[in-house]
Amino acid sequence: YRVPGRSNVANYVKLVMNKKGHAILAWEQYADGPVEEMNDLYMAEYNNGSWKKPQSTADKLNFTGVDYMTGTSIAMDDAGDVIFAFAQGSQLYKMERKNNVWSARATSTTERNNPPGAVFYPQVAMDNNSKASIFYLVRTKEGMGLYHSDYSGGQWAHPQSVK
């Protein structure tokens, strides 16, 4: 599938599927335009035998004119709840689906972020009790550090350094 207005080049494909056959597919698709539009993040959903796909470049999940993305991760439980995360520039972004309703467009988690620095390669995991964890790298003046935050009871914990 090619998002209208984008090149045929897609990279970094991620797929998750639960026991009920519901799937989320995410990918970065390259533009033929200037460097600041080098790649955009898109998502498609499979449910009840059909795909819901992006219809235009306006359906992208990331932000134009912001630094390059460094990783996308998706986790889904058997109920169909989803956590979707990506890093762009110095920010970690996430979207969530709970009870079949998506949160607003990806929101930055930086307001409760770790030390200032560039965020890289988030990885999320979720169990069937809607408990989740996210791990990611942060580059600071001191070097690279690994951080994590846990999700339980509808709240994300303050990120902690993994030592």
Side-chain angles (χ1 to χ4, degrees):
Y1 178 74
R2 183 172 85 77
V3 176
R6 287 292 178 202
S7 75
N8 289 327
V9 179
N11 280 323
Y12 309 110
V13 176
K14 305 287 182 174
L15 174 68
V16 294
M17 180 180 278
N18 67 10
K19 290 180 182 179
K20 296 176 183 176
H22 185 87
I24 303 287
L25 177 69
W27 69 95
E28 292 180 28
Q29 193 150 3
Y30 288 91
D32 294 324
V35 172
E36 64 269 9
E37 296 179 14
M38 190 167 154
N39 61 338
D40 284 324
L41 181 61
Y42 294 95
M43 174 181 67
E45 292 185 67
Y46 181 81
N47 199 15
N48 296 324
S50 66
W51 284 97
K52 179 182 174 189
K53 301 177 275 190
Q55 299 301 304
S56 74
T57 57
D59 293 331
K60 68 183 179 181
L61 302 175
N62 62 304
F63 303 94
T64 302
V66 180
D67 293 333
Y68 191 78
M69 287 180 294
T70 59
T72 301
S73 185
I74 312 167
M76 182 186 325
D77 67 12
D78 286 342
D81 290 344
V82 176
I83 296 174
F84 188 103
F86 65 94
Q88 187 173 11
S90 61
Q91 311 253 351
L92 173 65
Y93 293 93
K94 67 173 178 57
M95 291 175 55
E96 298 176 34
R97 184 176 69 197
K98 298 285 181 193
N99 301 317
N100 219 19
V101 176
W102 281 101
S103 65
R105 187 174 180 214
T107 56
S108 169
T109 62
T110 309
E111 63 275 2
R112 50 178 210 289
N113 205 348
N114 32 281
V119 176
F120 296 94
Y121 307 112
Q123 294 295 310
V124 294
M126 182 186 300
D127 68 13
N128 283 322
N129 297 314
S130 293
K131 291 182 181 179
S133 292
I134 185 167
F135 287 80
Y136 51 96
L137 294 172
V138 177
R139 183 177 55 216
T140 66
K141 292 180 217 173
E142 291 78 36
M144 294 295 273
L146 180 62
Y147 287 79
H148 85 282
S149 181
D150 294 322
Y151 181 87
S152 182
Q155 298 281 335
W156 283 99
H158 185 78
Q160 300 293 318
S161 174
V162 177
K163 304 218 180 207

